[in-house]
Amino acid sequence: MSTDLYDKISNLGKRRGIIFPAFEIYGGVSGFFDYGPVGALLKRNIEDRWRDFFVNKEGMVELESSLIMPSQVFEASGHLSHFTDIMTKCTKCNRAYRTDNLLNELGIECREGMKIDELDKLVEENSIRCPECGGALTKSEPFNLMFQVKIGSYGGSIIGYGRPEVAQGQFVNFKRIYSAERERLPLGIAQIGRCVRNEIAPRKGPIRLREFTIIDYEIFMDPENTSYSRIKLVEDQKLRILPISEQVSKTNKILEVTIKEALEEGIVKNQVLCYFMALAVKFLDNLGIPSEKQRLREQLPEERAHYSSETFDQEVWLERWGWTEVSGHAYRSDYDLRNHMAHSGVDLRVYKAFDQPKKVIKAIVKPRIDVLETEFSREDAQKIISLISKGDQNIIERELKTKGFYELTGLPPIRLELKHVEIIMEEVIESGRSFIPHVVEPSFGIDRIFYSTLEYAFAEKGNRMTLKLPKEIAPISAGIFPLVSRDGLPEEAKKLYELLQDEGFKVRYDESDSIGRRYARADEIGVPLCITIDYQTLQDKTVTLRDINTWKQIRNKSTELPQLLREYFKNRLQFDELGKPVEQRKNQSHN
Amino acid sequence: MSTDLYDKISNLGKRRGIIFPAFEIYGGVSGFFDYGPVGALLKRNIEDRWRDFFVNKEGMVELESSLIMPSQVFEASGHLSHFTDIMTKCTKCNRAYRTDNLLNELGIECREGMKIDELDKLVEENSIRCPECGGALTKSEPFNLMFQVKIGSYGGSIIGYGRPEVAQGQFVNFKRIYSAERERLPLGIAQIGRCVRNEIAPRKGPIRLREFTIIDYEIFMDPENTSYSRIKLVEDQKLRILPISEQVSKTNKILEVTIKEALEEGIVKNQVLCYFMALAVKFLDNLGIPSEKQRLREQLPEERAHYSSETFDQEVWLERWGWTEVSGHAYRSDYDLRNHMAHSGVDLRVYKAFDQPKKVIKAIVKPRIDVLETEFSREDAQKIISLISKGDQNIIERELKTKGFYELTGLPPIRLELKHVEIIMEEVIESGRSFIPHVVEPSFGIDRIFYSTLEYAFAEKGNRMTLKLPKEIAPISAGIFPLVSRDGLPEEAKKLYELLQDEGFKVRYDESDSIGRRYARADEIGVPLCITIDYQTLQDKTVTLRDINTWKQIRNKSTELPQLLREYFKNRLQFDELGKPVEQRKNQSHN
């Protein structure tokens, strides 16, 4: 069997403690991977880099909320009813399949978002049977992908779920954070956290997992002002977009446009969405995934959630899996907050004072109790009256007048029609307005980004492997090696090790094996610099520094290193500027 | 109702986005708390500080493993059968209670580790009824505290559990990491991660949680060499120990001894255990929890796991809850690896070559098949034979000869006796030995440490609250304030904001409200420095710096700040050394 890039990385991952299947001594469970010492460091560096890009530099904030949440949260969010895959099972061997995946793998094309009966029809028409044992397949049925747990003891327990995304933490805590953050908009609340999804039959290694780390970033904004001032800083940045039209026509041509053009031409409509997509491209680029290996694919209307007016997937080209989504960028409108408001009964609107009081035309939607009570039960009528009073009267009025109906959030949703109400338009003086913020959500799959980073860092030269990671995210910044483990060299090396560690550098000390093997080991886990202490060090305190990318060596005084390395890791100095070149002849064999 | 320290911190926590009950809009679920923007930063700083102390400085490593694990893991670890609380329920209102807690709260003392019938006897003798409704209580029964999930789809699913501790990740991955880390011992593998426990009726706010962050640190070592060379660095550090004897005699006197004395006098037996306890004391001290508010309580034999020969709890004095465990330090022997080895059938022993081959006396334990087959089923006999061959022959021999039996790990465990085997002692030349490493485990509850840190940082002066956090863990290092939001001051302030941010400082810009209110807000979330840009800044580029602890102010050129602040946050400079004192008269009103 020929090994592809994934196989090679997978082997390296196991051997060097980067990433590997979990619980392997028990045979493993598909969809679970663990990060070893090198991987855990790299993963954290990627997360910290994300923080730097998206939170710190933008003056936004971060939340850390619970993984287990009670069922009410997922009733409101819609996950309880909609977060399902369609599955079929073999009546003979009991194996379960995602119906769409099964069809696709057998070469039968099925569109994203196909309904159960459409899929079953394809199964029937093509006489599909279990590919493993040939047994007949059951009718498809929806399967909720959330892991259910019982909170509390027998009898008195309540139902909870492991969160399938972290975003709901931001929504249920929005009011508290908005207030602690002094009521500013736009307000971005990020969260980096574990999620769990009970995927039916996860394959694709670290690409489709049952437990994974996600970053959901909810940017709350005033729907009447969706501009983002920092957009100016990126106006000329190019985006590679695959719009809906190019997918529908199957030409799949990628548009290269600047941010400015994308917005002016309406290729991307929302400024906040566009800004953070640009940042996402830059972010991956910064991790070593070149922008020409990325694209922003606009989701087709049938893929998109019904409340979203535009959604883009940031995709990266991977050798085995082709274009693979690593982040999604959705405009979620006020969908989540509105639903949590309806389900919890807590007012999640914010209030903005006008600069000065002003006259506004306000709709007052009066329920017609007589009509409601003939059509609905007394209880439902009461509920409708309460929902109307809690809703935004102007929105209800506008929807009733334009669409002829307004959907009141409830279980099940109730369709309010014009005949149910009386609408009065009033001119009133208002000193401000209350509204539900709208949300743009960039959402990142860290495990996929982690793997993509490895794939683009991986390099081979003969039988030597190197992870050419950007030095800012390298798990270990420098290896400190005494040339030999005697004659006082280890002591000298340890001094430098402690000096650099005290200065905050992530360094590793290693004295075993030949210097060449130590270099090779360092290359495999992406250590940008190897610092070697040799006999000359004892005389003049100089050490050699070796660059992972070029294997070039330079020499400098060890006391100069803290300051120089700080600048180097901030990309203000190049490797060559860290010292004087070493004659390569003598050291070449060490590589 | 009088408010105590917990109430005050709780209110501050809600108001300023530090920590608050989760899902509050749905009424909350006890045992779940979320961290807001300030809390999430502080929590992460505490975790990073821990890393620095325990992993980086010690040259150890970190792992990131899965939260959901399959049942085999917890069969092997013993959690499936032993991780239970004893509960009783009201037959009338269905409320559930931990029987021991209920008794304790009603003033009936019950020892740790009491059995079900002992507890039920106490309930009966004292005629205990439901404190809420007076109903009769059921007989007590064990309740497993793990959250169960089904992995996979209907029918084909396997049982998994949310991990109640992170340590099992280290054990099941030990062999891989040991090999990636080039087979060194002692090898510490740390993990910081979420855990879940289905506590019966959690109270005590953030002290007893159903979801929490734990740090389990497994230090694997050669049982024949449990020394730790860095112990010398801390020999003279004092420990405050409450030994078993002082608890049994109820005198509860705390022994103050140096590390050296503790080890020499056998108060602490294991050097590795002792070293990391000393580090734990220093760590909390570093978070602002003074060592005189800490103690190391030795667990009583009945509290201790049967495989542990010594365990200490690090306790902190909290105003509402008294002495509260924040970390545990246990000697776990080879218990976990041995059990995973038996359950998985994978050899988890390590091999150490001798410096030179040597003669050793080796036991060969030969099963007596004839005896076994009369006493056990053929199947069990085969299992016993296999378990004997996998076990450490010398240990089996030693235990059989000293105790008369040896417990073979199995389900259920099988008691091997001398009559079942024939023992042959051989002198052989060996070039090394295989053994199961032993483990010392320091384990930290981050949420409790987080709360303890807040409690010791909290200070009041009139109606002003200040979090006097150690500056190294402050969520925000400096606030950057233009004195007024006009005349070019905001632009000047933003320049400084960006400069400091680029240099890696965690800074916040704030221009709203009076400077006094901004200072007050900064004090409440523990911002060590407030930097104010005023009209003088426009002339000479100097700014004022204000200290959170003393409210003193000094003045210096803004261009000097990056270098000075770096030294300041490394504790190499005092606040007074950051510039020249400002006349307080003029600015006093701003405090």
Side-chain angles (χ1 to χ4, degrees):
Chain A
M1 213 180 81
S2 78
T3 54
D4 66 1
L5 205 40
Y6 173 64
D7 286 328
K8 287 175 189 168
I9 290 170
S10 196
N11 289 334
L12 181 67
K14 287 179 184 180
R15 191 161 50 81
R16 299 307 310 275
I18 303 172
I19 184 170
F20 38 77
F23 342 114
E24 266 192 313
I25 63 170
Y26 291 104
V29 179
S30 59
F32 293 92
F33 274 76
D34 288 349
Y35 291 87
V38 171
L41 283 170
L42 177 58
K43 178 166 180 276
R44 207 161 62 242
N45 287 349
I46 291 175
E47 290 165 359
D48 282 344
R49 197 103 194 107
W50 188 93
R51 276 189 180 104
D52 221 45
F53 261 76
F54 287 86
V55 177
N56 301 347
K57 288 266 183 350
E58 301 296 322
M60 298 302 194
V61 302
E62 205 175 327
L63 165 73
E64 194 179 320
S65 76
S66 302
L67 189 135
I68 293 180
M69 303 182 98
S71 55
Q72 293 113 300
V73 172
F74 299 111
E75 269 165 38
S77 70
H79 283 90
L80 216 46
S81 42
H82 299 309
F83 192 62
T84 51
D85 270 347
I86 295 170
M87 64 171 282
T88 177
K89 250 173 34 185
C90 172
T91 52
K92 213 167 122 196
C93 73
N94 222 16
R95 270 193 188 78
Y97 301 95
R98 264 182 63 171
T99 314
D100 56 351
N101 281 356
L102 181 62
L103 287 164
N104 280 328
E105 278 169 25
L106 296 170
I108 299 151
E109 203 187 339
C110 49
R111 292 189 330 277
E112 183 98 26
M114 264 191 164
K115 301 264 179 301
I116 289 191
D117 44 358
E118 295 176 292
L119 290 166
D120 276 348
K121 208 175 143 202
L122 283 176
V123 169
E124 214 182 291
E125 282 173 2
N126 293 280
S127 315
I128 307 294
R129 300 181 73 86
C130 173
E132 292 293 332
C133 80
L137 297 172
T138 62
K139 290 251 173 228
S140 295
E141 52 182 276
F143 173 74
N144 195 296
L145 299 182
M146 290 195 293
F147 284 107
Q148 194 190 77
V149 293
K150 291 203 179 76
I151 307 169
S153 54
Y154 320 111
S157 65
I158 63 168
I159 298 295
Y161 294 91
R163 61 183 179 193
E165 58 170 32
V166 299
Q168 296 309 318
Q170 279 94 311
F171 297 126
V172 300
N173 287 308
F174 168 68
K175 229 20 203 309
R176 211 175 260 312
I177 297 175
Y178 177 70
S179 146
E181 287 299 317
R182 319 206 41 258
E183 311 193 341
R184 58 193 171 104
L185 290 181
L187 174 64
I189 309 178
Q191 186 170 190
I192 304 181
R194 287 289 175 106
C195 290
V196 288
R197 290 182 188 177
N198 196 7
E199 297 285 350
I200 293 171
R203 263 160 296 187
K204 292 193 174 184
I207 301 301
R208 188 165 295 279
L209 294 171
R210 282 173 163 150
E211 180 174 332
F212 50 96
T213 300
I214 217 173
I215 305 183
D216 279 337
Y217 191 17
E218 311 305 311
I219 299 145
F220 297 88
M221 59 198 179
D222 183 341
E224 293 187 8
N225 175 14
T226 61
S227 64
Y228 197 74
S229 64
R230 288 170 60 92
I231 194 90
K232 290 209 178 56
L233 303 173
V234 295
E235 269 185 347
D236 298 325
Q237 188 188 322
K238 283 240 168 96
L239 295 181
R240 287 163 43 85
I241 296 180
L242 181 66
I244 290 177
S245 57
E246 283 293 326
Q247 295 171 68
V248 172
S249 70
K250 311 222 173 193
T251 36
N252 286 322
K253 214 188 111 218
I254 290 170
L255 289 184
E256 286 212 36
V257 289
T258 64
I259 302 273
K260 203 176 170 182
E261 290 161 351
L263 285 167
E264 279 174 3
E265 293 168 25
I267 300 167
V268 182
K269 291 176 209 81
N270 186 294
Q271 213 174 85
V272 177
L273 188 79
C274 195
Y275 177 80
F276 286 99
M277 280 206 299
L279 212 53
V281 172
K282 236 195 220 164
F283 170 62
L284 289 196
D285 193 63
N286 219 270
L287 299 181
I289 303 165
S291 50
E292 65 273 20
K293 297 294 184 179
Q294 303 177 37
R295 69 179 191 189
L296 296 160
R297 188 182 68 81
E298 186 172 12
Q299 281 195 0
L300 301 169
E302 60 265 35
E303 298 176 72
R304 221 159 53 196
H306 67 274
Y307 50 79
S308 171
S309 54
E310 58 179 340
T311 300
F312 291 84
D313 286 345
Q314 183 182 28
E315 299 181 330
V316 167
W317 180 261
L318 297 179
E319 200 200 67
R320 181 178 288 193
W321 296 292
W323 288 111
T324 303
E325 180 196 350
V326 298
S327 81
H329 300 259
Y331 178 56
R332 295 177 76 109
S333 74
D334 65 353
Y335 174 81
D336 303 272
L337 286 181
R338 186 156 48 78
N339 279 302
H340 281 298
M341 191 163 152
H343 280 75
S344 67
V346 174
D347 189 354
L348 299 178
R349 291 175 304 169
V350 306
Y351 176 82
K352 280 280 163 213
F354 297 135
D355 290 339
Q356 48 192 49
K358 60 180 177 188
K359 280 186 197 161
V360 290
I361 304 289
K362 233 184 126 170
I364 297 172
V365 180
K366 279 190 164 174
R368 292 183 56 179
I369 300 176
D370 50 339
V371 181
L372 287 172
E373 290 199 346
T374 54
E375 207 170 307
F376 298 95
S377 71
R378 175 157 239 130
E379 202 188 340
D380 278 355
Q382 282 308 317
K383 209 160 136 197
I384 291 169
I385 294 165
S386 150
L387 284 170
I388 291 173
S389 74
K390 275 184 200 156
D392 185 316
Q393 309 274 302
N394 281 40
I395 290 176
I396 299 177
E397 180 263 341
R398 195 170 58 224
E399 296 223 351
L400 282 174
K401 286 197 181 149
T402 52
K403 296 199 298 186
F405 66 90
Y406 176 79
E407 205 142 271
L408 289 164
T409 324
L411 290 170
I414 296 162
R415 180 173 280 222
L416 190 74
E417 291 171 40
L418 258 177
K419 64 178 177 190
H420 297 136
V421 298
E422 189 184 342
I423 295 176
I424 301 164
M425 302 305 288
E426 269 189 355
E427 199 186 76
V428 288
I429 306 285
E430 296 235 314
S431 52
R433 52 187 258 276
S434 288
F435 59 92
I436 303 179
H438 279 217
V439 166
V440 156
E441 181 196 72
S443 174
F444 298 78
I446 285 302
D447 311 86
R448 290 186 179 188
I449 291 174
F450 178 93
Y451 175 76
S452 306
T453 302
L454 289 185
E455 192 162 309
Y456 281 95
F458 188 87
E460 275 177 306
K461 192 169 176 177
N463 58 357
R464 288 281 300 270
M465 282 174 274
T466 304
L467 279 189
K468 298 190 172 185
L469 294 166
K471 57 179 172 298
E472 308 90 307
I473 58 163
I476 292 154
S477 300
I480 315 287
F481 307 148
L483 183 64
V484 292
S485 56
R486 57 177 187 274
D487 303 334
L489 296 187
E491 291 71 15
E492 200 62 27
K494 279 179 187 160
K495 270 189 233 159
L496 180 60
Y497 168 77
E498 302 215 329
L499 170 69
L500 292 178
Q501 195 176 54
D502 278 352
E503 292 290 332
F505 296 102
K506 186 76 99 209
V507 283
R508 275 282 189 111
Y509 174 85
D510 190 357
E511 64 172 55
S512 60
D513 288 338
S514 74
I515 193 77
R517 288 185 63 175
R518 279 177 272 167
Y519 284 162
R521 281 204 298 266
D523 287 348
E524 284 189 349
I525 56 169
V527 181
L529 296 176
C530 292
I531 305 176
T532 302
I533 286 77
D534 55 21
Y535 289 100
Q536 196 181 326
T537 313
L538 302 179
Q539 295 158 24
D540 63 7
K541 300 280 173 198
T542 63
V543 296
T544 65
L545 287 83
R546 170 186 174 275
D547 176 43
I548 187 175
N549 296 311
T550 59
W551 296 353
K552 271 206 272 186
Q553 294 188 22
I554 53 150
R555 203 162 183 107
N556 206 337
K557 280 220 154 59
S558 62
T559 48
E560 306 279 314
L561 292 186
Q563 179 59 21
L564 285 173
L565 294 192
R566 195 174 299 124
E567 299 295 308
Y568 172 71
F569 282 102
K570 278 190 183 137
N571 266 323
R572 292 179 191 155
L573 283 181
Q574 296 300 307
F575 176 77
D576 291 338
E577 297 170 275
L578 298 180
K580 295 208 182 88
V582 170
E583 267 180 71
Q584 287 286 299
R585 186 179 40 81
K586 236 171 63 193
N587 291 283
Q588 228 146 20
S589 64
H590 294 335
N591 274 327
Chain B
M1 214 181 76
S2 77
T3 54
D4 66 1
L5 204 41
Y6 174 64
D7 286 327
K8 287 176 189 167
I9 289 169
S10 196
N11 289 334
L12 181 68
K14 287 179 185 179
R15 189 161 52 80
R16 299 307 310 276
I18 304 172
I19 184 170
F20 37 78
F23 344 114
E24 267 191 313
I25 64 170
Y26 292 104
V29 179
S30 58
F32 292 92
F33 274 76
D34 287 350
Y35 291 86
V38 172
L41 284 169
L42 177 57
K43 177 166 180 277
R44 207 161 62 242
N45 287 349
I46 291 175
E47 291 166 359
D48 282 344
R49 198 103 192 105
W50 187 93
R51 275 188 182 107
D52 221 44
F53 260 76
F54 287 85
V55 177
N56 301 347
K57 288 265 182 350
E58 301 296 322
M60 298 302 194
V61 301
E62 206 175 328
L63 166 73
E64 194 178 321
S65 76
S66 302
L67 190 135
I68 293 180
M69 304 182 97
S71 54
Q72 294 113 302
V73 173
F74 300 111
E75 268 164 38
S77 70
H79 284 89
L80 215 48
S81 42
H82 298 308
F83 193 62
T84 52
D85 271 347
I86 295 169
M87 64 169 283
T88 178
K89 250 175 32 189
C90 172
T91 52
K92 215 167 121 194
C93 73
N94 223 16
R95 268 192 189 80
Y97 301 95
R98 263 182 66 171
T99 315
D100 56 350
N101 280 357
L102 181 62
L103 288 164
N104 280 328
E105 277 169 25
L106 296 169
I108 298 152
E109 203 187 337
C110 52
R111 292 189 330 276
E112 184 95 29
M114 264 189 163
K115 299 267 177 304
I116 290 191
D117 45 358
E118 295 175 293
L119 289 166
D120 276 349
K121 210 176 143 200
L122 283 177
V123 169
E124 212 184 293
E125 283 173 1
N126 293 279
S127 314
I128 308 295
R129 299 179 74 85
C130 174
E132 292 292 333
C133 81
L137 297 172
T138 62
K139 289 255 173 225
S140 294
E141 52 182 274
F143 173 74
N144 196 297
L145 299 181
M146 289 195 295
F147 284 107
Q148 194 189 79
V149 293
K150 291 205 179 75
I151 307 169
S153 55
Y154 320 109
S157 65
I158 63 167
I159 299 294
Y161 295 90
R163 61 183 176 191
E165 57 169 34
V166 298
Q168 297 308 319
Q170 279 94 312
F171 296 126
V172 299
N173 287 308
F174 168 69
K175 231 17 204 311
R176 211 175 261 310
I177 297 175
Y178 176 70
S179 145
E181 287 299 318
R182 320 203 41 258
E183 312 195 340
R184 59 193 168 105
L185 290 181
L187 174 63
I189 309 177
Q191 185 171 190
I192 302 181
R194 287 288 175 107
C195 290
V196 288
R197 290 183 188 175
N198 196 5
E199 296 284 349
I200 293 170
R203 265 159 296 185
K204 293 193 174 183
I207 300 303
R208 186 165 295 280
L209 294 171
R210 280 172 164 150
E211 181 174 330
F212 50 95
T213 300
I214 217 173
I215 306 182
D216 280 336
Y217 192 17
E218 311 306 310
I219 299 144
F220 297 86
M221 60 201 177
D222 183 343
E224 292 187 7
N225 175 14
T226 61
S227 63
Y228 198 74
S229 65
R230 288 169 61 92
I231 194 91
K232 291 209 178 58
L233 304 173
V234 296
E235 268 185 346
D236 298 326
Q237 188 189 323
K238 284 241 169 96
L239 295 181
R240 287 162 44 84
I241 294 179
L242 181 65
I244 290 177
S245 58
E246 284 293 326
Q247 296 171 66
V248 172
S249 69
K250 310 224 169 191
T251 37
N252 286 322
K253 214 187 112 220
I254 290 170
L255 289 183
E256 286 211 37
V257 288
T258 63
I259 302 274
K260 204 178 170 181
E261 290 162 349
L263 285 167
E264 279 173 4
E265 293 167 25
I267 301 167
V268 182
K269 290 176 210 84
N270 187 295
Q271 214 174 85
V272 177
L273 188 78
C274 195
Y275 177 81
F276 286 100
M277 282 207 296
L279 212 53
V281 171
K282 236 194 218 164
F283 170 62
L284 289 196
D285 193 64
N286 220 269
L287 300 181
I289 302 166
S291 51
E292 63 271 21
K293 298 294 184 180
Q294 304 177 36
R295 68 179 191 188
L296 296 160
R297 188 181 69 80
E298 187 172 9
Q299 281 195 0
L300 301 170
E302 60 263 35
E303 298 176 71
R304 220 157 58 195
H306 67 275
Y307 50 80
S308 170
S309 54
E310 59 177 342
T311 300
F312 290 84
D313 287 346
Q314 183 183 29
E315 299 181 330
V316 167
W317 180 261
L318 297 178
E319 201 201 65
R320 181 179 287 193
W321 296 291
W323 287 111
T324 303
E325 180 195 349
V326 298
S327 82
H329 300 260
Y331 177 56
R332 295 177 76 112
S333 74
D334 65 352
Y335 175 81
D336 304 273
L337 287 181
R338 188 157 45 82
N339 279 302
H340 282 298
M341 190 163 151
H343 280 77
S344 68
V346 175
D347 189 353
L348 300 177
R349 290 174 306 170
V350 307
Y351 177 82
K352 281 279 164 216
F354 298 132
D355 291 338
Q356 48 192 52
K358 59 180 174 187
K359 281 185 196 160
V360 290
I361 305 290
K362 234 183 123 174
I364 298 171
V365 181
K366 279 190 161 172
R368 293 183 55 180
I369 300 173
D370 50 337
V371 182
L372 287 172
E373 290 199 345
T374 54
E375 211 172 304
F376 300 95
S377 70
R378 176 160 237 130
E379 199 188 338
D380 278 355
Q382 283 308 317
K383 209 161 139 196
I384 291 168
I385 294 165
S386 149
L387 285 170
I388 291 173
S389 74
K390 275 185 199 153
D392 183 317
Q393 309 275 300
N394 281 41
I395 290 175
I396 299 176
E397 180 261 342
R398 195 170 58 223
E399 296 223 350
L400 283 174
K401 287 199 177 146
T402 52
K403 297 200 297 186
F405 66 89
Y406 176 80
E407 206 143 87
L408 289 164
T409 325
L411 291 169
I414 296 162
R415 181 174 280 223
L416 190 74
E417 291 169 43
L418 258 175
K419 63 177 177 191
H420 298 136
V421 298
E422 189 184 342
I423 295 175
I424 300 163
M425 304 305 288
E426 269 188 356
E427 201 187 76
V428 289
I429 306 283
E430 297 235 310
S431 52
R433 51 187 259 275
S434 287
F435 60 91
I436 305 179
H438 280 217
V439 166
V440 156
E441 180 197 71
S443 174
F444 298 79
I446 285 302
D447 311 87
R448 291 185 177 188
I449 290 174
F450 177 93
Y451 175 75
S452 306
T453 302
L454 288 185
E455 191 162 311
Y456 281 95
F458 188 87
E460 276 178 305
K461 194 170 176 177
N463 58 356
R464 288 281 302 271
M465 280 175 278
T466 304
L467 278 190
K468 298 190 171 183
L469 293 166
K471 58 179 171 299
E472 307 92 308
I473 58 163
I476 292 155
S477 299
I480 314 287
F481 308 147
L483 183 64
V484 293
S485 57
R486 57 178 186 274
D487 303 335
L489 296 188
E491 290 71 13
E492 199 61 27
K494 277 178 187 159
K495 268 189 234 160
L496 180 60
Y497 167 78
E498 301 214 331
L499 171 69
L500 292 178
Q501 196 177 54
D502 277 352
E503 291 290 331
F505 296 101
K506 184 78 94 209
V507 283
R508 276 282 189 110
Y509 175 85
D510 190 358
E511 66 172 55
S512 60
D513 288 337
S514 72
I515 192 76
R517 288 186 64 176
R518 279 178 274 167
Y519 283 164
R521 280 204 299 267
D523 287 349
E524 283 190 347
I525 57 168
V527 182
L529 295 176
C530 292
I531 305 177
T532 302
I533 286 77
D534 54 22
Y535 288 101
Q536 196 181 326
T537 312
L538 301 180
Q539 293 158 26
D540 63 7
K541 300 280 175 198
T542 64
V543 296
T544 65
L545 286 85
R546 169 186 174 276
D547 177 42
I548 187 176
N549 296 310
T550 59
W551 295 354
K552 273 206 273 185
Q553 294 188 22
I554 53 152
R555 203 164 181 107
N556 207 337
K557 279 220 154 60
S558 62
T559 48
E560 305 280 315
L561 291 185
Q563 178 60 20
L564 285 173
L565 294 192
R566 195 174 302 125
E567 298 294 307
Y568 172 71
F569 282 103
K570 279 192 182 138
N571 265 324
R572 291 179 191 156
L573 283 181
Q574 297 299 307
F575 176 76
D576 292 336
E577 297 170 276
L578 297 181
K580 295 209 182 88
V582 170
E583 268 180 70
Q584 286 288 298
R585 187 176 40 78
K586 235 173 60 191
N587 289 284
Q588 227 147 24
S589 65
H590 294 333
N591 274 326

